[in-house]
Amino acid sequence: MYRAKVVSLDLCREGVGAAEVASAIREGALIVYPAETMYGLGGDGLDPAVWRKIRAVKGRGADKPFLLLLDEPERWRLVASRFPAAARRLADRYWPGPLTLVLPAISGSPAAGPRGGVAVRVPDRDWLRGWVRLADRPLISTSANRDGGEPEGDPDRLTILFGEEADLIVAGPRFDPVGPPSALVDATFDPPRLLRAGPFPIEGFEEGVEGGSP
């Protein structure tokens, strides 16, 4: 018998079910949930204890930061000190969608990476934005797998993998195959740098090549 509560995505898209997911996030739960192309592992992006919990479960060191999901672009103020103009132009064009932007993090943020940046994204899934809005917290997002393993797209296998450690598993579609991760652009540089090509080309960058300008 697993400790994690398993619920259907269909019951959590809105209403009481969405409120229950948001409440779990606010209470420090570790959740497994479907995103655009794969399942994610996450929780309250403002709670250092949740960051430590997810790192321990995933087996990842502090040198590899996770990204944060926001419900709308203006929520960047919760986690970043500024939103450079070049990054704003990219967000205006590609959000909501699979583009992650690294912005300068606010002081003391548990989301800050080794260079002082925080990775943020507005997802193209209404239920994710709804949970974040109701929780009033950014949602930690990292692929639902152990560090070094392949991302998992089967909710039944995820229950086996994380059923003893997660608090809540939202079971939705089966991703077969798992899709590519989001594009990753580091806007703490001027000009910004493309660190990872995503599922579509980002205007102003050569796909798959670090560097370029927006």
Side-chain angles (χ1 to χ4, degrees):
M1 186 70 177
Y2 297 114
R3 68 181 294 271
K5 180 179 180 180
V6 181
V7 296
S8 167
L9 174 62
D10 289 338
L11 299 177
C12 300
R13 292 178 183 271
E14 56 187 3
V16 174
E20 289 180 354
V21 176
S23 178
I25 294 169
R26 286 195 304 271
E27 292 169 3
L30 190 158
I31 70 172
V32 177
Y33 58 91
E36 288 99 330
T37 61
M38 65 183 72
Y39 277 81
L41 183 65
D44 182 354
L46 302 181
D47 187 341
V50 175
W51 282 84
R52 291 192 294 270
K53 186 189 305 184
I54 293 177
R55 290 191 189 285
V57 169
K58 192 173 174 81
R60 175 178 286 191
D63 59 323
K64 296 180 179 179
F66 306 133
L67 67 90
L68 294 174
L69 299 181
L70 309 176
D71 61 318
E72 59 178 277
E74 291 310 309
R75 302 275 270 184
W76 67 267
R77 291 181 173 85
L78 289 172
V79 294
S81 61
R82 59 188 179 89
F83 203 143
R88 172 69 72 173
R89 290 194 292 272
L90 290 170
D92 288 345
R93 182 174 179 86
Y94 296 107
W95 282 358
L99 168 65
T100 298
L101 294 171
V102 181
L103 306 177
I106 59 175
S107 177
S109 170
R115 293 189 57 258
V118 57
V120 296
R121 182 166 71 84
V122 176
D124 187 22
R125 291 293 181 268
D126 56 358
W127 66 82
L128 288 174
R129 297 195 304 273
W131 298 344
V132 172
R133 186 176 304 113
L134 289 170
D136 197 28
R137 304 282 197 281
L139 178 63
I140 298 170
S141 180
T142 180
S143 57
N145 58 281
R146 308 295 183 185
D147 199 44
E150 292 298 319
E152 181 56 65
D154 185 337
D156 292 333
R157 289 176 59 87
L158 284 164
T159 300
I160 296 171
L161 185 61
F162 293 111
E164 295 293 344
E165 296 156 309
D167 299 292
L168 177 66
I169 296 175
V170 180
R174 186 171 185 266
F175 297 103
D176 187 19
V178 169
S182 62
L184 179 62
V185 173
D186 192 338
T188 65
F189 290 97
D190 186 17
R193 298 181 182 178
L194 178 67
L195 303 184
R196 181 179 68 207
F200 58 84
I202 303 298
E203 183 177 333
F205 295 96
E206 257 186 89
E207 187 173 1
V209 179
E210 182 176 334
S213 59

